[in-house]
Amino acid sequence: MLTRGTLVYISQRLVLIALAVLGVSSVVFLAIHRLPGDALFSEHLHGTQYELLLHHYGLDRPLWQQYTSFVTGMFLHGDLGESLVNRGVPITPLVVREMTVSAEVGLIALIFTVGLGMLLGVVAAVRQNTWVDYVLSTTSVIGYSMPNFVIATFLILVFAVWLDNLTQSAFYFQIGWTGRFGTIGEIWLPAFALGFPYASIVARLTRASMLEVIRQDYIRTARAKGLRETVIMARHALRNALIPVITILGPLVIGIITGGVVIENIFGIPGLGKEFATSILNRDYNIVIGVFTGYAALVGLANLGVDLLYVVIDPRIRY
């Protein structure tokens, strides 16, 4: 239940997120305008045509006027301007749509990260010093030692090449995004590739936390009362073991969001990461600024969601 203190906390955090978005977008704006060349220059436009386009986009004005216009448009009207390459295309709806796609993939990757990581960690702790523990611990070490783009490439090799050849195209698999939520190529393989290294970290942390918790006196008391082991683990041990895992969710969320830049390009997902790479190649710095702004907002909102989870997991925490 949201208390008055929690609502005040959320309001304060939203203000800080807005300031962070302003800071990030300002730094990117000033930095990218100092770079030589632009998308119009790369099209080899000359003379009046080039000057007319510069005037249309306001690029012939002093930098401070361009910056003031950018900040005013972003905060008062939610307008990030127009694309320099695809002229007339507004950036704000583009960034919002792609941010939704990136958030969709990132959310499933986060659920996968926490769910699989905790499951492996709990099983390894309960089966400590057995072959199960050794196998899971070794898998975890391999998992967080491998970059996500290596995992993504391996998954494409298995599902799009080997299985296709093995089944004589009876098992047809296509990498790409068609906008249909739920197909394996669109969402589940990218989410697995994105989340597996972080799931390995969660598994290691959960194992260590569970081993510490199950040696506490209240766990011995619960066993002495005759409670079943599954009840003790689920009701008494796992909840307390969750707190250290929740603590690292903030950095994990940032890693998953930023890691999406590579994964989206490998799997052809039309999210912020793919747009970021395309806009850099096209030197369309209006979109580059918009994508950075979208990433800053996404990271800020995701971290706010993680902080609110503390209240759900640990009742002692109040805002």
Side-chain angles (χ1 to χ4, degrees), residues 95-165:
V95 168
V96 171
R97 185 175 66 248
E98 291 169 349
M99 193 165 67
T100 305
V101 174
S102 294
E104 186 179 291
V105 177
L107 179 62
I108 293 180
L110 183 63
I111 294 173
F112 169 78
T113 297
V114 176
L116 181 65
M118 290 186 58
L119 176 64
L120 296 181
V122 169
V123 173
V126 172
R127 302 292 183 187
Q128 185 189 14
N129 296 330
T130 65
W131 68 269
V132 176
D133 182 22
Y134 297 144
V135 169
L136 294 180
S137 298
T138 303
T139 304
S140 299
V141 172
I142 295 173
Y144 69 74
S145 302
M146 293 179 67
N148 52 25
F149 64 86
V150 174
I151 298 173
T153 306
F154 180 73
L155 290 175
I156 290 176
L157 190 64
V158 171
F159 285 90
V161 179
W162 289 349
L163 285 180
D164 190 49
N165 293 335

Side-chain angles (χ1 to χ4, degrees), residues 289-312:
I289 297 169
V291 169
F292 266 104
T293 303
Y295 266 125
L298 200 58
V299 169
L301 293 174
N303 273 297
L304 175 60
V306 170
D307 288 343
L308 293 177
L309 270 180
Y310 282 113
V311 181
V312 178

Side-chain angles (χ1 to χ4, degrees), residues 149-226:
F149 64 86
V150 174
I151 298 173
T153 306
F154 180 73
L155 290 175
I156 290 176
L157 190 64
V158 171
F159 285 90
V161 179
W162 289 349
L163 285 180
D164 190 49
N165 293 335
L166 190 66
T167 59
Q168 298 298 314
S169 299
F171 181 86
Y172 183 71
F173 178 81
Q174 183 176 5
I175 300 293
W177 182 275
T178 60
R180 291 178 290 106
F181 177 82
T183 60
I184 187 171
E186 289 180 353
I187 198 86
W188 300 111
L189 288 187
F192 181 87
L194 192 56
F196 186 67
Y198 300 106
S200 302
I201 297 174
V202 171
R204 299 278 295 175
L205 190 61
T206 303
R207 178 184 180 277
S209 182
M210 280 293 291
L211 287 176
E212 183 179 350
V213 168
I214 61 180
R215 290 168 183 157
Q216 299 293 321
D217 290 339
Y218 68 90
I219 297 295
R220 296 192 188 96
T221 303
R223 284 176 176 148
K225 289 167 62 179

